Amino acid sequence: MYWASGGKEVIDETQKDAAAFGVQIEKQPEQKIDFEVFQENWDIVMMFLRCQTQWNTTFGGVVGLKYEVLLLDGGLFDLYHVDNRQEMLEGLQLMETVVMSEFNKEKK
């Protein structure tokens, strides 16, 4: 996914790889990959992408971000010199809530 790659282009070679194994994959409709992020939310989105491997999970699914990775001395907030830690945390928690409901949809 484009957004999850931090804005880098993702080269999809699925068709080429499948053809190498003699598999024909039906061409899927192209999905729009562009979306708008308001300037005031940009830093929060970028921090959220940096947290992509920092999820607490259980057998029941995803339960939330590992806040210690963000907040402890030397954590991401320090590393990226976050000035308004409260605003950043609240923005991340909002995104986290939406993502957790999407991740856990199949569990319900």
Side-chain angles (χ1 to χ4, degrees), residues 55-64 66:
W55 290 93
N56 288 306
T57 60
T58 67
F59 290 111
V62 176
V63 293
K66 296 178 182 176

Side-chain angles (χ1 to χ4, degrees), residues 9-76:
E9 181 181 1
V10 176
I11 300 171
D12 182 2
E13 295 185 339
T14 306
Q15 293 289 347
K16 180 180 164 189
D17 294 342
F21 289 99
V23 176
Q24 180 69 28
I25 299 176
E26 186 177 314
K27 188 77 170 165
Q28 300 295 315
E30 191 169 320
Q31 295 179 350
K32 186 174 180 179
I33 59 173
D34 294 329
F35 62 93
E36 184 175 0
V37 175
F38 294 127
Q39 183 63 39
E40 61 267 20
N41 297 327
W42 185 253
D43 290 337
I44 295 169
V45 170
M46 294 307 295
M47 184 62 72
F48 186 78
L49 292 175
R50 291 180 189 116
C51 297
Q52 64 186 340
T53 60
Q54 302 303 318
W55 290 93
N56 288 306
T57 60
T58 67
F59 290 111
V62 176
V63 293
L65 286 170
K66 296 178 182 176
Y67 292 130
E68 64 273 16
V69 172
L70 299 166
L71 301 170
L72 292 179
D73 285 342
L76 290 175

